[in-house]
Amino acid sequence: MRKAFITGITGQDGSYLAEFLLSKGYKVYGMIRRSSVPKLDRILHLEKDIELISGDLMDESSLIKAIELTKPDEVYNLAAQSFVPASWEQSILTGKITGLGVTRMLEAILMVNRNIRFYQASSSEMFGNVHETPQKETTVFYPRSPYGVAKVYGHWITVNFRESYNLFACSGILFNHESPRRGLEFVTRKVSMGVAMIKMGMADKLKLGNLDAKRDWGFAGDYVEAMWMMLQQKKPDDFVIATGETRSVKELVEIAFKRVDLKWEKHIVLDKSLLRPAEVHELRGDSSKAIKQLGWKPKVTFEGLVNMMVDSDMDKLKGIDKDKIRELS
Ligand code: NAP
Ligand code: G4F
């Protein structure tokens, strides 16, 4: 039985990847960090099928112990401080987790077993102030946030360890991917939950920042499959994973409100405090290499994704008590 070790298993991607690897017959280990309140909601349904190991990307020895204990064939490094605005508030911590954390994981692999295959969760945020459109594997990086800068470091240290030590280390440059399990602070989920709350009469307004920003949004369930495909190749390599389509935040809002027959203009409030010190205005990825070499392609459309998220939040609110809703708002 092949064994996989996932950092960031409590996150959106970690939960989908764990499900996917279980369906492939893997033994799945997930790393969780200590917190005063456990954050296991996304993986509760998998509790019996996976094994959770304590560790933190900030703590090198915990990573070495976890790798020694679990003896994985594949390591998926999905853990990160992943929220872009928080990276201005906590720039040093973001660098330590999202950037240097990758080196700690790679060093642990070097020390314990150099045959482990390694996946690094790189990001389209690295393209930032884009030098060409669409962005592909060879496009120059120009990050626009401390998060993006940290991801560029994580990307290059992965390439460097591959070239220095002949590790099977791959970097997936994934464009934005969303789902009903997306964190509530990210714009797609903020909109889907906001729309559901307004429709249910629990709120009237939704505050947003830059409506003109454009992203290449896909479905997380499709994207975790690409992570696994990268580690099944004969040779390690880096791949862009994207839909090839770009949509604005405004289009996202229009589709989401339309799903529940509401007029968005009546409910959206522009809040300048949500604008970023430096914005990534437009991203669009070119996944030709992944399509050709991995045989990967996205299945869920943008409309399908937004509708799925709105429907899911409507269902969640129908079964929730009023106090819980106040906590969410
Ligand atoms: P997410 O939902 O924010 O999950 C992040 C995960 O990292 C959580 O499990 C979190 O654990 C864990 N984590 C944070 N700091 C840690 C630390 N010091 N030690 C160990 N674990 C830590 O992120 P996601 O959307 O699933 O994304 C997965 C990865 O892909 C991230 O690296 C992200 O930067 C990258 N990425 C995401 C996208 C996207 O659109 N979703 C696109 C490109 C790249 P807690 O539950 O304890 O907080
Ligand atoms: O949903 P977002 O916060 O995602 P962002 O910044 O693109 O980052 C996500 O995707 C990256 C891949 O490119 C990942 F690496 C990263 O970890 C994360 O998953 O914001 C998307 C856009 C931005 O342009 C932002 O300015 O939406 C705009 N926006 C407008 N109003 C808002 C809001 N974003 C948030 N979070 N909240 C708003 O109210």
Side-chain angles (χ1 to χ4, degrees), residues 215-226:
R215 290 290 183 276
D216 179 330
W217 275 297
F219 172 53
D222 290 345
Y223 285 41
V224 298
E225 203 171 339

Side-chain angles (χ1 to χ4, degrees), residues 244-305:
E245 270 183 43
T246 188
R247 304 296 191 107
S248 65
V249 174
K250 190 173 163 202
E251 283 172 275
L252 157 73
V253 164
E254 284 166 355
I255 296 170
F257 275 88
K258 193 170 166 221
R259 182 69 172 174
V260 293
D261 296 318
L262 287 176
K263 292 220 176 310
W264 69 270
E265 295 89 337
K266 286 189 182 167
H267 303 283
I268 293 294
V269 176
L270 297 180
D271 180 345
K272 282 191 178 160
S273 73
L274 294 168
L275 299 177
R276 297 176 180 189
E279 176 65 284
V280 172
H281 297 289
E282 181 168 354
L283 291 173
R284 181 158 71 87
D286 175 356
S287 307
S288 311
K289 181 174 166 185
I291 292 168
K292 193 163 167 237
Q293 272 176 241
L294 304 178
W296 176 85
K297 64 171 192 249
K299 297 179 194 101
V300 178
T301 63
F302 182 65
E303 283 77 5
L305 174 66

Side-chain angles (χ1 to χ4, degrees), residues 12 81-85 122-126 147 151 174-178 182 185-190 207-211 213-215 217 249 252 274-276 279-281 283:
Q12 170 189 256
Q81 188 304 92
S82 76
F83 188 45
V84 173
S122 286
S123 164
S124 52
E125 186 71 15
M126 300 189 302
Y147 167 82
K151 279 289 178 187
L174 272 51
F175 282 61
N176 298 53
H177 45 280
E178 320 293 314
R182 186 57 143 153
E185 66 274 36
F186 298 93
V187 75
T188 52
R189 187 75 198 289
K190 185 173 174 183
K207 288 183 186 173
L208 289 176
N210 182 7
L211 294 188
K214 290 183 171 170
R215 290 290 183 276
W217 275 297
V249 174
L252 157 73
L274 294 168
L275 299 177
R276 297 176 180 189
E279 176 65 284
V280 172
H281 297 289
L283 291 173

Side-chain angles (χ1 to χ4, degrees), residues 164-180:
S164 305
Y165 303 110
N166 206 21
L167 287 187
F168 196 110
C170 301
S171 176
I173 307 175
L174 272 51
F175 282 61
N176 298 53
H177 45 280
E178 320 293 314
S179 74

Side-chain angles (χ1 to χ4, degrees), residues 34-96:
R34 200 264 157 190
S35 63
S36 59
V37 181
K39 291 179 271 182
L40 302 176
D41 344 359
R42 294 185 179 107
I43 49 170
L44 272 182
H45 62 296
L46 303 174
E47 224 178 4
K48 284 198 218 79
D49 305 314
I50 59 179
E51 206 169 307
L52 298 176
I53 311 290
S54 163
D56 196 305
L57 278 193
M58 296 292 287
D59 186 275
E60 173 81 37
S61 67
S62 71
L63 304 178
I64 297 168
K65 282 184 235 163
I67 297 296
E68 277 174 344
L69 183 76
T70 58
K71 298 182 177 48
D73 301 292
E74 297 170 7
V75 168
Y76 295 86
N77 186 39
L78 308 186
Q81 188 304 92
S82 76
F83 188 45
V84 173
S87 77
W88 279 284
E89 287 156 12
Q90 300 183 357
S91 57
I92 294 170
L93 185 66
T94 301
K96 285 180 176 172

